[in-house]
Amino acid sequence: MKSPQVRKVTAPGASPLSALRRELARLNLNGFIVPRADEHLGEYVPASAERLAWLTGFTGSAGLAAVLASTAAVFTDGRYILQLAEQTDAALWQRLHITEQPPHAWLAENAPKDARIGYDPLLISEESLTRFTDAGLDMIPLAANPIDSIRADRPPPPMAAALPHDLRYAGKSSEAKRTDVAISLREAKQDAAVLTDPASIAWLLNIRGNDVPFTPFALSFAVIHADGATEWFIDPAKVPPETRAWLGNAVLIADRPALEGALRGLAGKTVRVDAAGSPVWFAQQLRAAGAVVVSGSDPCQLPKACKNETEQQGARQAHLRDAVAVCRFLHWLDTEAPDGGQTEISAADTLLAFRREVEGFRGESFPAISGAAEHGAIIHYRVTPETDRPIKRDEVYLIDSGAQYPDGTTDITRTVWIGSGPAPAELRNRVTRVMQGHIAIATAVFPKGVGGPHLDVLARRALWQAGLDYDHGTGHGVGSYLSVHEGPVSISRQARPVPIAPGMILSNEPGFYLQDQYGIRLENLLLAQTADIPGAGKPFLRFETLTLAPFDRRLLDPGLMTAEERGWLDSYHGRVLDSVGPALDPAARAWLADACAPIGG
């Protein structure tokens, strides 16, 4: 493992881009790629790894910059394309959609012939790197990241403690999990697997941490062997005595600099590395040592996604407690916002205050997306003091938020009409079509073996019939007091066709966005369950809805909905009222009863 460089060359007032170009010239490189990733290729990264934001100003959770001597580009997906335009300087950066204009194609077109393009092998997967090499680019691995050499204000790495995750929440001991993973390695005739995803390590060892925002990770690496022996590479100062006692002697704790030697010790062994989810550095080190590298999925990923009975019940309880806070907030919003005086920040702060009163609340699961009117059209909008705007009467407000509890992770989006006047007919038509897509996913019954890409069209059908669509996936996996975005399954046209399995928790969040006017997104979390269908010739699955909060009926057109769709909504609202109502004060309970009244025909 490389250690941070100490050479700092950024002069006061110097442009980060010009400083990087000088450093690349010194290294005899024609270009360099800067993924928005840390050494674990995660969505949420510590401040010490926020290289893309430091270089470009773009703070979205997905992106990449490509820097050449005379031109540069920064790329992101459809969720952040508007944010990218707002946060970056058009005089310095081309701002591009990463799907429509992939970075490897842009570099192949713009780089000089025989250009040497540098990359940090700890910040890119082997699968991603292959796209660049297949495009004919000469990609040069670097021993140290040049941004770390020029960034004078780089924060130190996080040092939060790694603490035990109690068995009453985990539902299965670490020893049992390690035994199961070891069996899967032996069945695959593999000697070991490299684990680089902190979520996998947290699940495997039943530990949680506080190294990154919003997600209880202890950043570290691990190697699990086919006999179940596990080496955990983490700064020993982050592992208190209670965690060492929790793990016992079967887990060897070593400092992160020992990782390189441990990989060399696997010479002659067959080692699994996730080519899509692990930094290419690991495969490169293993091959150099003489190990046989087998590309395969992280062996913890699938069992982690299939929550056990304890985790499933924990999710139900966490969502019920969270629903009390959300319903209190929606009542507050409906009461206070129409009179003025509330802003995007004050609304998000109020929801957070309600959640802080919930038993077991550990923090938000992501920064709340609090967007009024035109800001709601920015799919992953993050309000700041500079962008904060009032929430006005007779406009749409979108709130996407979530929380972390030791027994579960939540994520919910509601789109709300502010004011007592009627919503415009066109807006109601579009919200209703999004609602129809949401109901289609929530009520889906499908055979075992079906994956997320097969279901995605159900959420879009009503929108497509009107010539409308949305530029993000319909659903993502959610962890158990882990990441709010969890693989390997997602409901998306771009997703890998991994079969949905019982115990998986997925979001259901179709939407529609009209730039500069409003955004619509309706999101609940779903738990995949076995479906009991009399006479079925093979196993089928269905979804159980975990989230409990009303949808705004003022934004729906009952005449556009089928009787079955109206019936589902009324049944769902009845469940919300019965489950959440008893925990509310009289005023909020009365509001909820009205919000959950039958929609009519």
Side-chain angles (χ1 to χ4, degrees):
M1 293 287 290
K2 63 175 185 273
S3 58
Q5 300 295 294
V6 297
R7 181 176 176 270
K8 307 296 181 185
V9 299
T10 307
S15 158
L17 181 57
S18 62
L20 177 59
R21 282 176 169 149
R22 287 193 297 271
E23 183 69 0
L24 297 181
R26 188 185 72 82
L27 296 171
N28 192 29
L29 295 171
N30 303 101
F32 184 64
I33 59 172
V34 186
R36 199 279 177 176
D38 63 1
E39 298 174 351
H40 309 276
L41 308 188
E43 177 180 5
Y44 295 116
V45 304
S48 57
E50 288 281 13
R51 299 177 180 91
L52 184 64
W54 177 83
L55 180 67
T56 68
F58 173 60
T59 61
S61 67
L64 181 143
V67 176
L68 297 171
S70 59
T71 188
V74 58
F75 307 78
T76 191
D77 61 32
R79 297 171 297 168
Y80 296 109
I81 202 70
L82 297 180
Q83 179 179 335
L84 180 67
E86 291 182 354
Q87 291 185 322
T88 56
D89 185 346
L92 299 177
W93 300 97
Q94 296 182 44
R95 288 86 64 92
L96 303 175
H97 194 297
I98 200 166
T99 303
E100 297 171 358
Q101 295 174 287
H104 61 270
W106 183 88
L107 274 171
E109 180 179 347
N110 289 277
K113 184 180 179 181
D114 300 325
R116 289 165 44 86
I117 308 298
Y119 72 95
D120 185 336
L122 278 164
L123 303 184
I124 188 170
S125 70
E126 186 160 35
E127 184 178 278
S128 296
L129 180 64
T130 299
R131 299 190 188 103
F132 291 89
T133 56
D134 284 352
L137 295 162
D138 184 15
M139 303 299 294
I140 309 298
L142 303 181
N145 194 303
I147 288 179
D148 298 345
S149 299
I150 62 176
R151 185 181 177 187
D153 61 348
R154 186 187 181 201
M159 287 296 295
L163 299 172
H165 182 53
D166 198 277
L167 198 58
R168 62 179 165 146
Y169 303 123
K172 189 173 185 178
S173 71
S174 174
E175 181 181 9
K177 292 176 180 179
R178 298 194 305 269
T179 296
D180 289 347
V181 172
I183 290 171
S184 72
L185 292 176
R186 293 197 297 271
E187 289 175 346
K189 302 188 184 311
Q190 296 164 2
D191 299 300
V194 170
L195 304 179
T196 65
D197 182 354
S200 291
I201 297 168
W203 174 85
L204 182 69
L205 302 182
N206 283 343
I207 56 98
R208 298 294 188 268
N210 194 31
D211 278 343
V212 298
F214 310 108
T215 307
F217 287 165
L219 297 180
S220 56
F221 299 104
V223 175
I224 182 168
H225 297 262
D227 61 0
T230 303
E231 299 164 274
W232 186 24
F233 300 93
I234 184 171
D235 189 325
K238 296 170 63 171
V239 187
E242 61 264 36
T243 304
R244 294 175 183 272
W246 173 256
L247 293 172
N249 296 327
V251 176
L252 173 66
I253 299 172
D255 207 345
R256 287 177 60 157
L259 177 57
E260 191 168 347
L263 296 179
R264 287 197 299 268
L266 293 170
K269 304 290 187 181
T270 300
V271 184
R272 183 192 301 192
V273 179
D274 189 334
S278 294
V280 68
W281 180 87
F282 288 87
Q284 291 172 344
Q285 295 292 318
L286 287 164
R287 290 186 183 115
V292 177
V293 176
V294 176
S295 176
S297 62
D298 178 329
C300 300
Q301 193 176 52
L302 190 58
K304 171 170 58 69
C306 297
K307 280 67 178 176
N308 58 47
E309 289 296 330
T310 298
E311 292 171 320
Q312 291 182 38
Q313 187 58 26
R316 295 184 185 100
Q317 294 302 317
H319 278 81
L320 178 58
R321 299 197 309 278
D322 193 63
V324 175
V326 172
C327 289
R328 290 178 68 194
F329 166 76
L330 292 173
H331 169 235
W332 171 87
L333 184 73
D334 202 41
T335 303
E336 298 293 332
D339 294 333
Q342 302 303 327
T343 72
E344 294 167 334
I345 286 180
S346 72
D349 287 347
T350 300
L351 176 53
L352 178 57
F354 282 130
R355 278 197 166 113
R356 283 183 170 137
E357 297 179 17
V358 177
E359 179 187 356
F361 177 72
R362 296 289 187 269
E364 294 177 291
S365 56
F366 59 96
I369 299 168
S370 177
E374 73 280 359
H375 285 168
I378 303 172
I379 297 174
H380 273 204
Y381 170 70
R382 185 181 300 185
V383 60
T384 67
E386 293 73 30
T387 66
D388 189 26
R389 77 186 284 290
I391 300 174
K392 302 174 185 177
R393 181 182 288 272
D394 295 334
E395 68 179 11
V396 170
Y397 170 71
L398 185 152
I399 179 70
D400 183 351
S401 67
Q404 293 284 9
Y405 303 96
D407 47 351
T409 300
T410 71
D411 183 1
I412 174 175
T413 309
R414 291 295 183 265
T415 303
V416 181
W417 179 247
I418 304 300
S420 56
E426 180 183 276
L427 175 63
R428 293 173 63 221
N429 179 284
R430 291 174 175 179
V431 175
T432 303
R433 291 181 183 278
V434 174
M435 186 80 250
Q436 289 175 302
H438 180 98
I439 294 171
I441 295 294
T443 58
V445 179
F446 50 94
K448 184 179 180 181
V450 163
H454 308 127
L455 297 183
D456 184 76
V457 66
L458 298 177
R460 300 176 191 268
R461 180 177 181 271
L463 286 165
W464 284 355
Q465 288 176 323
L468 308 173
D469 201 5
Y470 52 93
D471 194 11
H472 60 75
T474 297
H476 54 81
V478 177
S480 180
Y481 189 38
L482 283 172
S483 177
V484 75
H485 292 151
E486 177 179 87
V489 173
S490 64
I491 304 174
S492 168
R493 283 173 287 184
Q494 284 75 43
R496 300 184 183 199
V498 179
I500 297 170
M504 290 182 174
I505 296 177
L506 293 162
S507 70
N508 173 16
E509 51 182 308
F512 176 74
Y513 309 88
L514 189 60
Q515 186 172 345
D516 298 326
Q517 294 195 41
Y518 58 79
I520 303 161
R521 188 158 62 251
L522 304 175
E523 177 187 18
N524 284 345
L525 296 192
L526 308 175
L527 173 61
Q529 300 277 29
T530 300
D532 184 13
I533 302 177
K538 57 183 176 180
F540 273 71
L541 301 178
R542 62 174 180 84
F543 289 123
E544 170 191 344
T545 297
L546 295 171
T547 308
L548 297 167
F551 296 98
D552 193 338
R553 291 178 297 111
R554 295 168 297 185
L555 286 170
L556 297 174
D557 180 355
L560 189 62
M561 302 172 70
T562 67
E564 290 78 11
E565 290 166 342
R566 294 193 299 270
W568 181 91
L569 186 63
D570 287 346
S571 176
Y572 173 73
H573 278 159
R575 181 180 163 219
V576 170
L577 181 60
D578 291 344
S579 301
V580 184
L584 300 176
D585 63 65
R589 190 182 312 127
W591 172 88
L592 184 63
D594 182 66
C596 292
I599 192 171

